Each structure stands twice: as structure tokens, then as C-alpha cells.
Amino acid sequence: MSREPIGKLIAYLQRQNQKQLAKELMPYGLGSGGQHSFLKLILSRPGITQDRMTEEMKFDKATTARSVKHLEQLGFIERRPDPGDRRSSLLYPTAKALEFAPVFQSILDGFNRRLTANLSEEEVNTLVALLHKITLNTADGQDRPEAE
């Protein structure tokens, strides 16, 4: 019997992850499109640029722009002019986002606990390490450690 393709399993997990998170975050206006990922990055790296987020998150520019616009409309983030580049804006969490951050993190942590409920701590650590290794295999050439 042949093994199920790893990519298929990862894609399935991603779809389930997005569906469940969208359901849990919908009451806060955060739904599909990975908006929660952008908010998490802005909360952890206040002052990040939209271009930097696009690079780090591996989304296309249009997806990043839509998510940033949505988060701004919801009042979770604000743009400030970049003093080093007048064409660019720096993205910061608002007071609303900072107040929401513990609830948001609790939702994400709860989902991670459900994902790994049947795994030991050692298995979780191994899984994370292996997923990081697989990520290196799929990264663009410039993202690979040997290209640096």
C-alpha cells in the first residue's frame, strides 16, 4: 500500500486550519484570507512595512494589500508614514488590537492544543522540527540557508 502524499496531508490540514480559525475569529471581523496571520505579525513586529510582510509571509502583494486594508477598516491597525521612505507606510497595532491580543492568542493556542491533542510533547517538538525542514525544501532559492 502506498503512503498518502505529504503535500495532500499538509494541504488538508491547512484548509481545516483556515476553516476553523475563520469560524472562531468571525465574531471579531477576522475571517478568511489569512488576515489573522497578518495581524499576528503586526502585533509581534510593530512598524513593519507591507512589503516586508509580503516577503516574510509568502503571500502575493494583492493579498497583503487586501488584508491590511481590512485590518485597518476594522480598526486593528494604523498606517504611519515611513520616515525613511515616503512611498511606504509602517503598520502598527491600534489600542483595539492590543486589547484583543490576549483573546486572539488564546484562540490560536487553543487551536494548536486541539491539533496536537493526541501527540506527546516530544512528538510535537519532532513534528515542528520536521515541518521546518520541509519548509526549507519548498522555499525560494533566496530563502534557503545555503544561498545566504
Side-chain angles (χ1 to χ4, degrees), residues 11-67:
Y12 174 78
L13 284 170
Q14 174 62 8
R15 284 191 306 275
Q16 293 304 312
N17 179 48
Q18 291 303 313
K19 188 172 18 173
Q20 185 64 38
L21 282 175
K23 183 177 168 184
E24 290 186 41
L25 294 170
M26 193 60 67
Y28 306 99
L30 299 170
S32 60
Q35 296 154 359
H36 66 281
S37 298
F38 290 102
L39 180 57
K40 185 162 176 55
L41 184 56
I42 293 166
L43 282 164
S44 68
R45 302 252 308 280
I48 193 168
T49 65
Q50 200 165 304
D51 284 342
R52 186 72 193 144
M53 284 196 327
T54 297
E55 289 172 26
E56 288 189 26
M57 308 251 320
K58 308 299 183 215
F59 281 98
D60 59 65
K61 287 184 177 191
T63 299
T64 303
R66 277 191 305 274
S67 292

Side-chain angles (χ1 to χ4, degrees), residues 72 83 85 108 137:
E72 193 174 25
D85 181 356
L108 297 175
N137 293 335

